[in-house]
């Protein structure tokens, strides 16, 4: 899956679609742009079938702007807006505008339906968007992927703000401009990271507006009422130590050392994958990510998990008890934060991921208790114990979460699970592609959604299969050029035997997470398609083969994957690689390989990244070739500077369609790469297909190319 | 010349030798380190010959630490330190420490002898270093290039601070630590950019010290007295319009538009190359750079050049008068700044290059006059005219100098001059190398300095030759591994016929500036030397052939030049490319191609950069291959994203020694590159050698390599 929508904490300040082309020559520093921009997944009802049709009736077909204008002149009385505005003047609210982001309280990429507030209020179901409602205006920001969809889904009460287009203000700038001076801008403080809230606050403060945290009420929930879905309550499970590699006690020991090293007495963790990783637990509260809604507070001598206890089985309760972790209600997090401040706990918090409700509660509690202790003639706080980080006047330690690093650097068991699950995934894919090619050659009437569904069936036959790791991107012809295309049953296209077909998909297995893209042609690709594919492949090979000194941030390698496309004036508007969790989120930080040059986090031995250059020709075709790679010591004959040099080892073993390759463009080294990769694919995957007709398909697709 | 010591304004906040290997995993942002670190050139007396000797008596030979310690236990009474400390308590001084940087008042890379204050006071003559004297301590910071030299040159009153070594504090941190709280740290405010002063101030403020600007006295000059060299007073000359391409009136028109666009009424320029460029003037106040000491203030309707008028010939006076520029004494700059503030002039200033004496004088004058005008019941300032940027309460506009961009993007005449001068330079180099090879084969006893001197002679025979563009780096064997090696007559090595020889040199011609490095072997290179050379060459070719979208910062391409070395665990500890002026400074900004990732300035059509990857094996050999390149439209068959794609065109045409190349490592494309480059070298340079025996040398050295 492509890394454009990476929601790792380290990327929160970067804007989607901020292209490299916008650098001012007088720019001194990296842009840090204040757009609130997190993913939201709106889960459409399952089970609806796609209406198969041979016409290309994509949901993204553009209307003429005249039609759109005509549609928008119909004055719609939007009852949701009327209701929410009525709440603005309620006692205890008192605001002039309300900002509704896509997020849940944990900055999750995929969220539960009950938290899809922006989608409910605005009707726009795309994964990224921010809505703002004032007393007389309503506006929604989204990026280029979703302009057409938003035009269709928003009624005329809403203005669509095309983020990234020239002259379009950011959400923060807009609200600062439209309010009369002294305006009060309300937010649900659980839905903003402390960093995002701070940015919003700064921008609106310039126009003398105030940011108001509404702790006790979410205005969208108020009007959503009974039709709001219930919060998820599925039971959580233990992630087996044979896959986790390190037990909870050891992880907590390391974490507690890091807490003490940082001069803190406790850490507050809200990222759901970090909690799942530390506790060796997995959940199913959201689609695609095996996590559960919770907060975790680890102190030096105790730890509390804030979670709906109905999700916790007896077995999990024992598991937690053995690790010294007590349960608390999910909703009691702020109470606990207050009580920690009272006890003088110095909290380690990551302001890029932790919501401002928590951080702000802590800060004001610290101030309050500090004033109290002064008024009590500087009486010692109740639990002051400087050796374990409890101090008289704590104020918090703000830094990147140490767990994001610990989680990103996989241990041997996690790597083994990733390798094993990738081979089973390859076996499922082989069955699927053998089936698909046969069907298409029989001229079967298959839609993009049919294909995605069938792929899911093949995968679910594999041991340990749990879920898809994201919505399958199944795009025929021009749909392949829509970078985050999500085929919908009502509107998707037929898989056209005469066009390129791009399939980006992945799975969650009990032992690992996969993510692979292949692009194929079912008949004869054009010269143009072959040239573009071959250059994408050259970029893929260049990154795969890169060796680099430890400490190198991923962006240094991004150009390697583009260089071959650049030579003929082509490029792609997304990053080249994202981190991947081990039986966890398909997108994780802190590393990335991207032209967003702000992410200085170096690639390290044990990390996993995707390698997915692409090329997209609007209204024609899309190409992407994606493998997952494991960062590892390169064992170079020299070690200049006394440092380790790193390289990549492939996790993904699946054929790259040979007919798409223009061999005349490849160097001998590149041909050798492809041939030896295919030899390895055959060697590793064919034993899993023994006795099946699919083995012949794999054999056919792993034959070496001749050098010209 | 290698870009490690780039002194462009945009790099002031970066520290030399801050390696990529030091990124903390918890680092969020780019480091911005507060080291004061600018180049100073100490010009040794000319005419001293090198004692030729076959032993490798480099000035960098290390003493054992025991010897050093022994030498340092001799207590030396340092009279300069005694004298300078006596001044600390003078009325009007009153300080506890004094910081002596390498800079002149213009942040120049090469400075006049009279400004070499740090070298005079400390005895350390290296190009980079900062000295701090307190009442009882004296310390000098320099980087790894100069540790051995500094050990030899500093007496025992001085502590050597090895910048970049673990545990070594920065100069600012150190002075903040050693003073008793409430200390007063004095500086000459002319010698610090406003940015550097601000950083120093912030660091020492943490320990409650105060930064004190001593406007009226430089303490080193006070003790230097009569032996201090006189300021340079050589006459300046007009840079012919046929080389400059654009006349002064047009440059001023553009500049004035930029001033007004920025909402300012005037610009203050202190960078000497910017002044020379705007005024189409050249000087010879410093070695290697054709500039003259001056300040320039351009207002919307007038302009003043602050310069020692004895340097200004009648012809130059006319030239300036025609452009509406009046002369003022160099020393009257602060008076003029004050009077501009009084007139309500909104000054455009670049705090990374402009000294804090100017910026601070302006700020306090603005405050003073603003208070005055308030006390005069808000009387209008005398010349308030908001249409031309004169306003009641100016406070300055701080941004990157627009001239640094205008200067970096060469016009056609400048490019033509660069091309022409490079061909003449190549002819001189051909004569030189033909001579050198013959001498070495005759086993002549030539030293590194002899060779540099002879090269200068060959160059000076070429039309339009003015000067070297930097001190020639002429390194035999192990000396080639010392990145900024400067052979000294007393201590340099013989050019060893059995070792690699690295020669990095350049010239100032009336029409252009050159900078080229070649590495050769006079007999048989080892397999190791050939492998390393070939990988450096592959990096050179990869960068030369790169194509990239407009807006790409240079650092994106840096890895291209390292990739081949990285594959076997090798690297080099300097950047890959620096900007070069047109008949101006050999190092200029704002662009660079480096692993210092903070420089976001994009490469643009018309810029010139060096391409100089290398590899240095300590105590053995050094390799560097350097050409200058011109950034230009690549005319790609596609223009994805509607942008222009850029590439490079070579300016340097000179053979790369074929015997150093291990052809088996090169791809067909790389062999083709080398062969077609050599064909072009022959075609362009041989006509300039007609009738000479050197032509045969060039023929021999441009024959195509066979593919293996």
């Amino acid at each position: 899956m492509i890394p454009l929508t990476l929601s790792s904490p380290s990327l929160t300040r970067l804007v989607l679609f901020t292209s490299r082309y916008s650098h001012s020559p007088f720019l001194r520093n990296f842009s840090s742009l204040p757009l609130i921009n997190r993913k939201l997944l709106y889960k459409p009802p399952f089970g609806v079938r796609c209406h198969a049709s041979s016409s290309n009736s994509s949901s993204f077909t553009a209307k003429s702007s005249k039609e759109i204008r005509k549609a928008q002149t119909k004055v719609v009385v939007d009852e949701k807006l009327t209701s929410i505005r009525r709440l603005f003047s309620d006692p205890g609210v008192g605001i002039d505008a309300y900002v509704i982001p896509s997020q849940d309280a944990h900055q999750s990429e995929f969220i539960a339906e009950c938290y899809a507030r922006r989608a409910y209020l605005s009707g726009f179901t795309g994964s990224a968007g921010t809505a703002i409602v004032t007393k007389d205006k309503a506006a929604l920001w989204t990026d280029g992927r979703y302009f057409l969809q938003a035009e269709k889904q928003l009624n005329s009460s809403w203005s669509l703000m095309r983020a990234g287009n020239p002259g379009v203000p950011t959400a923060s700038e807009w609200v600062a401009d439209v309010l009369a001076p002294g305006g009060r801008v309300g937010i649900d403080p659980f839905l903003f990271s402390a960093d995002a809230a701070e940015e919003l606050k700064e921008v609106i403060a310039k126009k003398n507006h105030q940011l108001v945290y509404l702790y006790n009420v979410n205005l969208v929930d108020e009007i959503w009422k009974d039709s709001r879905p219930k919060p998820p309550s599925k039971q959580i499970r233990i992630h087996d130590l044979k896959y986790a590699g390190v037990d909870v006690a050891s992880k907590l020991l390391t974490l507690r050392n890091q807490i003490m090293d940082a001069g803190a007495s406790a850490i507050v963790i809200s990222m759901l994958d970090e909690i799942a990783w530390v506790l060796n637990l997995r959940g199913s509260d959201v689609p695609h990510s095996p996590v559960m809604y919770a907060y975790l507070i680890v102190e030096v001598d105790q730890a509390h998990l804030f979670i709906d206890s109905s999700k916790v089985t007896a077995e999990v309760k024992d598991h937690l008890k053995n690790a010294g972790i007590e349960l608390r209600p999910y909703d009691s997090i702020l109470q606990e934060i207050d009580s920690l401040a009272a006890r003088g706990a110095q909290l380690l918090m990551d302001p890029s991921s932790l919501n401002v409700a928590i951080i702000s509660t802590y800060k004001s509690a610290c101030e309050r208790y500090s004033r109290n202790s002064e008024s009590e003639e500087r009486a010692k706080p109740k639990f002051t114990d400087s050796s374990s980080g409890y101090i008289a006047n704590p104020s918090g330690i703000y830094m990147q979460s140490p767990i994001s690093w610990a989680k990103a650097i996989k241990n041997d068991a996690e790597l083994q699970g990733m390798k094993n699950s990738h081979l089973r995934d390859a076996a499922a894919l082989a069955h699927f592609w053998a089936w698909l090619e046969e069907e298409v050659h029989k001229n079967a009437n298959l839609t993009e959604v049919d294909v995605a569904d069938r792929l899911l069936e093949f995968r679910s036959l594999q041991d340990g299969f749990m879920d898809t790791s994201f919505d399958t991107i199944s795009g025929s012809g021009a749909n392949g050029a829509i970078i985050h295309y999500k085929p919908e049953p009502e509107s998707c296209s037929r898989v056209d035997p005469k066009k390129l077909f791009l399939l980006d998909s992945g799975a969650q297995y009990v032992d690992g997470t996969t993510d692979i893209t292949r692009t194929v042609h079912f008949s004869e690709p054009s010269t143009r398609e072959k040239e573009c594919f071959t250059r994408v492949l050259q970029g893929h090979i260049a990154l795969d083969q890169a060796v680099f000194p430890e400490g190198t941030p991923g962006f240094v390698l991004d150009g390697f994957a583009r260089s071959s496309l650049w030579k003929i004036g082509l490029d792609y508007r997304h990053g080249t690689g994202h981190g991947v969790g081990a039986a966890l989120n398909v997108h994780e930080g802190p590393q990335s390989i991207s032209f967003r040059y702000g992410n200085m986090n170096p690639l390290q031995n044990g990390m996993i990244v995707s390698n997915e250059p692409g090329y997209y020709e609007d209204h024609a075709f899309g190409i992407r070739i994606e493998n997952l790679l494991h960062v590892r010591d390169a064992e170079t004959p020299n070690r200049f500077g006394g440092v380790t040099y790193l390289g990549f080892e492939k996790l993904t073993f699946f054929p790259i369609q040979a007919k798409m390759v223009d061999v005349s463009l490849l160097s001998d080294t590149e041909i050798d790469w492809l041939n030896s990769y295919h030899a390895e694919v055959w060697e590793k995957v064919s034993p899993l297909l023994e006795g099946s007709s699919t083995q012949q398909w794999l054999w056919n697709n792993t034959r070496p190319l001749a050098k010209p």
Side-chain angles (χ1 to χ4, degrees), chain A:
Chain A
M1 188 183 184
I2 77 147
L4 190 64
T5 53
L6 243 182
S7 67
S8 83
S10 59
L11 294 176
T12 49
R13 296 165 68 97
L14 294 168
V15 175
L16 297 177
F17 283 90
T18 298
S19 86
R20 68 159 55 74
Y21 315 118
S22 63
H23 297 305
S24 149
F26 297 101
L27 199 68
R28 268 180 202 290
N29 297 307
F30 288 80
S31 334
S32 119
L33 298 167
L35 201 67
I36 305 144
N37 213 329
R38 288 238 158 226
K39 280 197 77 172
L40 172 150
L41 178 101
Y42 177 75
K43 227 172 126 189
F46 285 126
V48 184
R49 303 296 320 161
C50 174
H51 302 289
S53 100
S54 58
S55 78
N56 191 333
S57 60
S58 154
S59 62
F60 295 84
T61 308
K63 280 186 180 175
S64 75
S65 53
K66 199 174 159 190
E67 270 182 285
I68 295 161
R69 252 177 281 123
K70 212 170 88 186
Q72 289 181 344
T73 52
K74 274 191 287 175
V75 177
V76 176
V77 178
D78 186 311
E79 287 183 11
K80 291 175 187 169
L81 288 177
T82 310
S83 307
I84 203 165
R85 283 174 180 140
R86 204 174 293 135
L87 298 173
F88 281 17
S89 44
D90 264 16
V93 177
I95 56 171
D96 302 296
Y98 193 58
V99 186
I100 307 103
S102 298
Q103 291 94 318
D104 62 18
H106 305 268
Q107 307 288 323
S108 307
E109 177 171 8
F110 304 113
I111 70 176
E113 279 182 79
C114 61
Y115 300 126
R117 290 153 175 140
R118 193 261 299 134
Y120 169 76
L121 183 70
S122 70
F124 166 64
T125 60
S127 70
T130 298
I132 303 189
V133 179
T134 69
K135 285 172 176 169
D136 56 356
K137 292 185 178 62
L140 180 123
W141 283 254
T142 190
D143 62 60
R145 293 173 290 161
Y146 292 117
F147 292 165
L148 299 177
Q149 182 183 348
E151 281 168 10
K152 288 175 75 170
Q153 293 184 322
L154 295 177
N155 69 37
S156 62
S157 304
W158 287 87
S159 304
L160 172 59
M161 309 299 274
R162 294 172 178 80
N165 274 10
V168 174
T170 65
S172 318
E173 289 164 359
W174 180 85
V175 74
D177 273 347
V178 299
L179 296 187
R184 290 168 54 89
V185 177
I187 62 168
D188 179 338
F190 285 96
L191 306 185
F192 284 74
S193 74
D195 281 353
E198 190 53 38
E199 281 178 13
L200 175 56
K201 193 172 174 176
E202 278 175 23
V203 174
I204 65 172
K206 284 182 195 153
K207 300 282 171 89
N208 293 317
H209 307 303
Q210 197 188 334
L211 190 62
V212 179
Y213 299 157
L214 301 174
Y215 281 91
N216 299 319
V217 60
N218 182 292
L219 303 191
V220 179
D221 295 354
E222 286 298 295
I223 63 166
W224 205 343
K225 287 182 187 151
D226 296 346
S227 63
R228 186 181 171 215
K230 293 278 162 290
S233 59
K234 292 205 187 122
Q235 294 197 332
I236 57 181
R237 60 186 163 89
I238 295 169
H239 186 52
D240 201 312
L241 187 58
K242 74 181 170 210
Y243 306 131
V246 175
D247 63 21
V248 181
S250 306
K251 289 181 179 178
L252 287 176
L253 184 66
T254 306
L255 181 59
R256 285 174 167 138
N257 284 331
Q258 290 168 323
I259 292 168
M260 288 188 288
D261 286 350
S265 48
I267 185 169
V268 185
I269 311 165
S270 71
M271 295 292 282
L272 302 187
D273 63 334
E274 294 188 8
I275 296 172
W277 183 85
V278 170
L279 301 182
N280 291 347
L281 292 177
R282 295 296 184 265
S284 37
D285 282 355
V286 303
H288 312 309
S289 291
V291 296
M292 56 280 165
Y293 279 104
Y295 295 102
L296 178 65
I297 298 181
V298 177
E299 294 175 74
V300 171
D301 52 358
Q302 52 184 322
H304 295 96
L305 180 65
F306 297 77
I307 193 164
D308 172 357
S309 62
S310 72
K311 295 178 193 171
V312 185
T313 61
E315 195 194 6
V316 169
K317 204 167 280 178
D318 275 355
H319 170 85
L320 290 169
K321 200 175 167 191
N322 288 340
I325 296 156
E326 286 176 51
L327 298 185
R328 291 268 191 278
Y330 179 75
D331 289 339
S332 69
I333 182 72
L334 294 189
Q335 268 169 266
E336 179 67 17
I337 294 289
D338 188 278
S339 118
L340 280 162
R343 284 159 54 204
Q346 184 70 298
L347 299 189
L348 194 167
M349 299 184 287
D350 185 338
S352 73
S353 66
L354 213 54
N355 65 55
V356 74
I358 289 177
I359 291 188
S360 189
T361 296
Y362 177 67
K363 282 182 176 166
S364 49
C366 285
E367 220 173 281
R368 199 167 66 246
Y369 291 112
S370 144
R371 272 208 304 273
N372 286 351
S373 65
E374 277 167 32
S375 67
E376 290 163 23
E377 286 162 30
R378 300 186 186 281
K380 264 189 166 179
K382 281 165 263 181
F383 293 85
T384 296
D385 168 8
S386 65
S387 71
S388 61
Y390 295 86
I391 57 176
N393 293 304
S395 59
I397 295 194
Y398 301 90
M399 57 184 271
Q400 194 170 357
S401 165
I403 301 169
S404 76
W405 279 90
K407 177 169 60 63
I409 296 169
K410 272 62 180 171
N411 61 45
D412 290 346
E414 289 171 327
L415 279 173
Q416 197 53 55
M418 289 296 278
K419 288 178 185 177
N420 294 343
S421 57
H422 271 79
L423 295 185
R424 299 200 306 280
D425 202 51
L429 285 161
H431 289 303
F432 162 80
W433 281 104
W435 165 83
L436 179 61
E437 283 190 11
E438 199 180 320
E439 292 297 307
V440 173
H441 291 150
K442 286 192 301 195
N443 213 13
N445 209 358
L446 289 171
T447 68
E448 294 161 336
V449 169
D450 292 337
V451 164
D453 288 350
R454 194 62 198 267
L455 172 57
L456 175 56
E457 285 170 26
F458 279 111
R459 276 192 165 122
S460 59
L461 297 175
Q462 289 294 328
D463 284 350
F465 175 85
M466 315 292 293
D467 194 358
T468 49
S469 59
F470 56 93
D471 280 318
T472 297
I473 299 171
S474 157
S476 175
N479 290 341
I482 301 166
I483 290 179
H484 271 91
Y485 179 64
K486 178 170 186 281
E488 298 287 353
E490 314 77 40
S491 56
C492 69
S493 297
R494 181 190 175 216
V495 175
D496 190 327
K498 305 232 170 296
K499 290 179 178 166
L500 275 180
F501 177 62
L502 184 155
L503 187 73
D504 185 354
S505 70
Q508 293 289 358
Y509 294 93
V510 69
D511 51 347
T513 305
T514 69
D515 181 2
I516 173 173
T517 310
R518 287 295 182 269
T519 308
V520 303
H521 205 293
F522 297 105
S523 45
E524 269 314 302
S526 68
T527 311
R528 172 76 175 173
E529 289 166 339
K530 285 177 74 171
E531 174 170 25
C532 295
F533 184 94
T534 306
R535 289 184 179 273
V536 171
L537 177 61
Q538 288 176 302
H540 183 97
I541 295 172
L543 180 57
D544 181 272
Q545 294 292 88
V547 174
F548 48 91
E550 59 174 301
T552 301
F555 66 75
V556 172
L557 307 180
D558 181 72
F560 291 21
R562 296 177 201 273
S563 168
S564 184
L565 287 163
W566 283 350
K567 288 217 197 290
I568 59 166
L570 300 183
D571 201 353
Y572 51 95
R573 288 198 181 101
H574 60 73
T576 306
H578 57 82
V580 179
L584 261 177
N585 290 4
V586 73
H587 285 154
E588 70 170 19
Q591 78 278 17
S592 71
I593 299 176
S594 173
F595 58 84
R596 290 177 203 96
Y597 306 122
N599 185 348
M600 290 295 284
N601 293 301
L603 298 178
Q604 296 202 355
N605 192 359
M607 282 179 168
I608 290 170
V609 288
S610 67
N611 172 9
E612 46 184 315
Y615 172 67
Y616 309 91
E617 196 139 299
D618 280 351
H619 316 298
F621 60 84
I623 292 164
R624 186 158 66 250
I625 304 172
E626 177 187 20
N627 281 351
L628 297 193
L629 305 174
H630 153 218
V631 183
R632 53 171 291 173
D633 289 0
E635 286 165 20
T636 49
N638 308 281
R639 286 178 167 232
F640 181 80
V643 303
T644 298
Y645 286 71
L646 300 168
F648 297 113
E649 183 184 342
K650 286 174 271 288
L651 292 173
T652 309
F653 289 96
F654 201 74
I656 292 167
Q657 198 181 38
K659 83 159 82 147
M660 288 301 301
V661 179
D662 178 348
V663 183
S664 73
L665 290 174
L666 296 185
S667 71
D668 283 2
T669 321
E670 288 164 336
I671 296 172
D672 290 343
W673 181 92
L674 191 61
N675 289 344
S676 88
Y677 178 56
H678 279 154
E680 221 178 336
V681 171
W682 170 254
E683 191 190 315
K684 287 179 190 290
V685 182
S686 64
L688 282 74
L689 303 172
E690 264 174 57
S692 75
S693 61
T694 302
Q695 212 178 30
Q696 184 63 47
W697 180 91
L698 190 70
W699 173 259
N700 296 343
N701 281 278
T702 51
R703 290 314 84 213
L705 289 177
K707 292 184 189 175

